[in-house]
Each structure stands twice: as C-alpha cells, then as structure tokens.
Amino acid sequence: MGKSAAPPPYSQDDGKALQDWFRTRRDEQPVHQDPATGAWLVLRYADVVAASLDHATYSSELWRAYPTEWGKGDTWGEGRLTEMDPPKHRLLRAVIGKAFTNRTVAGLAPEIEATVERLLDAVDDRAEIDVARDLADPLPVMVIAELIGLPFEDRELLRGWADQLLSFEVGDLAGEELVKAIDAAGAELLAYLREHYRSRRAAPKDDLFSRLATAEVDGERLAEDAVVNLGKLLLIGGHVTTACSLASLVFELLRHPDALAALRQDADLIPAAIEESVRYRPAVVNSLRMTTRETQLADVTIPAGQFVSLSALSANHDERQFDAPERFDIHRQHNQHVGFGQGVHYCLGAPLARTEIRIALAALLRRFPVLERTDGPLQYYRNPSIAGLRSFPVAVGRG
C-alpha cells in the first residue's frame, strides 16, 4: 500500500468522526440497510449480542448465497469454522478447541517468550523499530506455525500469504470476481498446507495437524479439505487478530502516557489494558451473517436471505453498555466487550491472543524504557472487516 493512501475512517481524527456517526445512528437508525453494500448494519451492543447468539436466524454460512456455478457446493464449507453453523460447527470446534484451552496455552508461554525475545534481539541496536512489522506481525505467525507443526524457516512465506489474503478492499459482498480473487490468493497456501497434512497423516508428530489427521467428528475421520481449510483459518485468523490487537494496544498507550506509565509501574495491569484496547479498537470491526428467515431486530424487519453486518466497533462504544465509551480506560470494570466475538463464534484463539499480547508488551516495556511515536507514516490494513496497523514506526531507547 502506498504512503499516500488515506487512512481508514476508524483512524481519521482518532476515529472521532466515525464514532460520532455511529452514535447518531445508534440513536436514530440502530438497524438499517447500507446503500453502498446492501448489508443491514447492526450498531447497538444489545442487538449485536442478540444476533450473535441466534445462529439459527443469523447464519454464518455465507457461501450458501453464492451461485452453484461458482463451484461453492456444500463441500466448499468443509473445515471453514467461521463459516459454519451448529451442529457441524460445534462438533468441529470441540475437536480443535483442545489446542486452545487455557492449560494448553499456558504450556506454550515459554516458547512465546523465547520467540518475543528473538524478535526484539533482532532490533535491539536500533533507535527506531516498527512495532507492527518487527514484532506484532511476525509473532503470531510463528506461534501458530509452531502449534500446527509447520517449519520455522517457512515463516516469511506464511506471512506473505497472510498479507496477500488480507489486502482485499471492500467490494460487492457476494461478487464473483472478489470471491475468485480471494480463492486464487489462497490457492498456494492451501496447496502448501495439503502437502504438510499428508506428510503428518503418513508420519504423525506431536502437533495439531497430526492430531487433526487422526481425529473423528461424529464417528468419522475429518476430511482432508476440512483439515486444510482449518489450517488456513488458524494461520490467517490467528495472525491478523493478534497482530492488529498488539499494535493497536501500543498505539493507544503512546496516545495515553498515563496508562503507559501505569503499566510500566505495574505489569499486573496489562491484562486489563488488553481488554480495554480490544474494546476500544477491535481488530475485527464487523462480522457478516445472512438471515435464514424474515426477522425483526430493534423493531426493524429484515427479510430472509439478507447480509447482516454486526458492528463490534460500534457495539464496543455503545453508551448504553459502557460508561464514557470514548475514554480509553485501562481500569475499566465489567468490560464485557464483543471484540473477540460472541456466541458460538467467540474467538477460539482468544486465550492464545491474550497470552501473546501480554508477553510481547511486557517484554517491549522491559527492553525499552523509552518508547515514543515518530513522524513516520502509518500504514493500515485495507480489508473492510479488519482494523489495524501494517506499519507503525516508534522511537526506542534504553534511557
């Protein structure tokens, strides 16, 4: 992305204009159809939660809207956990969820700490680092690759694929060209994952791909397509949400020096700061659903077969749920944000993301007593559902 590209609305004027727009719409049109995309926007916290919990009405299987001539039959949805509804979703999540329990993630902490130190060692002699490119971006790819069982030396290859798949800008939500372009971008990654899956099936190791190769759902072995698509989801989803959340947290701390000073004094405040940052600037700004039947939300009738956009960015700033929502407050109590989703699609990797961000931020603050914004240009992800920095230069020093 060129340096001249305008920043996305959520970052212009620190997002004030966008949040003002959200506030007005939450009062006057909390559920309304966007004339630009045709999707129905859901902006209030209570409505976003209600729709997220009602998977029977608000389906995640968006691919069912694609014409069959595009080749999007039922098998296309195999293993695409975020694009599945129960009961298949519940069964598959139960299998993979064992890799993301608090206990499993705690066991990964030493490896995460070592990875963070390696990344910081590589920039230790610099007066300026890029928080996104040098730390936030590579860390989750390396951790997820380790978890799945992919070679460490392939990390740059994996980052490249992730970056390519997250570079698409807004278009027709069900447009054939957009769907085909995304499929083409992921083809190399899928071929790569398929090769590794087959090698694990032939010679299992102690990693997630090996366990998935032998796992059963409802008495049947997982199909190869299901495992490969799951691997892609974990790499891309696990990468971007954590990378954006970590960079956004550092960004907000540099905008709020009192909060930064408090974390330097007391690292035990870091978990609360992570939650507040995910509330204030969620990595996934909206989630798409499709109505399976005519329904009513906030006294508005939404027909069947419509795309519905659940806005976490608006819901997390809803004054009906949060006191002074425009205040970044690391001491906020009862912070029940929807930054990691809600309902059956609550982020599977949330415990891992929290652990990575906590370890990375603590190490960054220990390593560099001086941490300041520079005049360097910021670069953002252009994907309409993602909020985050792709380049974030910061001046560092040892005091």
Side-chain angles (χ1 to χ4, degrees):
M1 186 190 78
K3 292 180 181 179
S4 60
Y10 64 79
S11 69
Q12 294 173 20
D13 189 28
D14 296 325
K16 185 178 184 303
L18 179 61
Q19 289 300 341
D20 286 346
W21 185 88
F22 277 147
R23 188 180 306 108
T24 300
R25 291 298 181 277
R26 284 195 298 267
D27 287 339
E28 300 175 358
Q29 293 179 300
V31 176
H32 68 276
Q33 193 168 25
D34 179 8
T37 64
W40 293 78
L41 305 185
V42 180
L43 303 178
R44 286 183 184 169
Y45 179 93
D47 296 329
V48 167
V49 170
S52 298
L53 296 177
D54 185 3
H55 55 79
T57 303
Y58 300 91
S59 171
S60 296
E61 297 183 349
L62 307 182
W63 50 272
R64 294 191 181 278
Y66 303 152
T68 53
E69 58 266 27
W70 293 8
K72 307 301 185 194
D74 285 358
T75 57
W76 190 82
E78 289 288 343
R80 297 174 186 262
L81 200 62
T82 58
E83 299 177 57
M84 295 173 67
D85 295 330
K88 288 181 67 176
H89 172 275
R90 188 178 298 112
L91 293 169
L92 185 58
R93 185 174 173 120
V95 171
I96 197 172
K98 296 172 185 176
F100 295 94
T101 63
N102 289 328
R103 181 177 179 180
T104 304
V105 169
L108 291 171
E111 178 61 32
I112 296 171
E113 290 169 355
T115 302
V116 168
E117 292 303 323
R118 283 202 302 270
L119 290 169
L120 293 179
D121 285 346
V123 298
D124 191 60
D125 59 345
R126 298 185 198 170
E128 180 179 305
I129 68 170
D130 191 315
V131 171
R133 290 177 173 167
D134 295 329
L135 179 61
D137 189 54
L139 173 62
V141 171
M142 295 162 78
V143 172
I144 291 288
E146 171 74 17
L147 185 69
I148 293 175
L150 304 176
F152 175 80
E153 56 270 21
D154 288 351
R155 64 193 184 282
E156 290 301 325
L157 193 62
L158 296 168
R159 284 177 64 188
W161 282 322
D163 189 63
Q164 189 179 13
L165 282 164
L166 292 165
S167 296
F168 292 99
E169 300 195 25
V170 69
D172 180 0
L173 293 174
E176 181 177 8
E177 293 308 312
L178 178 64
V179 172
K180 285 184 175 179
I182 293 172
D183 279 359
E188 288 185 10
L189 173 57
L190 288 173
Y192 168 90
L193 292 172
R194 197 176 302 278
E195 178 185 338
H196 281 279
Y197 165 75
R198 289 175 178 174
S199 71
R200 289 301 187 280
R201 192 173 56 189
K205 298 182 180 180
D206 184 21
D207 54 47
L208 182 57
F209 248 22
S210 296
R211 290 193 288 276
L212 290 175
T214 58
E216 291 186 355
V217 172
D218 214 13
E220 294 183 6
R221 285 280 182 94
L222 287 176
E224 181 177 286
D225 283 345
V227 177
V228 170
N229 283 332
L230 266 172
K232 176 185 172 185
L233 171 66
L234 293 174
L235 276 168
I236 306 304
H239 161 242
V240 71
T241 51
T242 304
C244 289
S245 296
L246 174 53
S248 292
L249 174 54
V250 177
F251 181 85
E252 291 304 330
L253 290 175
L254 296 189
R255 286 185 60 232
H256 299 86
D258 289 348
L260 177 60
L263 295 191
R264 286 194 183 279
Q265 287 289 321
D266 185 1
D268 288 343
L269 292 173
I270 289 178
I274 293 171
E275 299 308 312
E276 177 64 351
S277 182
V278 173
R279 181 198 70 84
Y280 193 82
R281 193 184 284 252
V284 179
V285 295
N286 57 68
S287 301
L288 278 178
R289 301 288 188 269
M290 188 176 67
T291 51
T292 59
R293 57 194 175 213
E294 182 178 282
T295 186
Q296 279 211 329
L297 194 60
D299 297 324
V300 174
T301 299
I302 305 175
Q306 298 286 299
F307 285 108
V308 176
S309 178
L310 309 178
S311 176
L313 186 58
S314 175
N316 279 353
H317 289 257
D318 189 348
E319 54 283 346
R320 294 161 187 79
Q321 175 69 21
F322 301 99
D323 179 49
E326 299 315 309
R327 184 178 69 230
F328 181 80
D329 181 6
I330 64 171
H331 302 287
R332 186 178 296 276
Q333 299 294 310
H334 312 297
N335 195 353
Q336 302 299 314
H337 60 77
V338 292
F340 284 122
Q342 192 73 214
V344 298
H345 288 289
Y346 182 82
C347 179
L348 186 69
L352 181 59
R354 288 180 171 113
T355 300
E356 290 179 57
I357 297 168
R358 174 181 58 78
I359 290 172
L361 181 63
L364 187 68
L365 298 184
R366 280 196 310 269
R367 180 82 62 124
F368 300 117
V370 176
L371 203 61
E372 299 171 344
R373 280 285 308 275
T374 73
D375 294 329
L378 301 174
Q379 294 183 21
Y380 295 87
Y381 281 99
R382 310 305 296 183
N383 186 297
S385 294
I386 301 297
L389 289 153
R390 294 177 63 181
S391 180
F392 176 24
V394 169
V396 297
R398 294 189 176 275

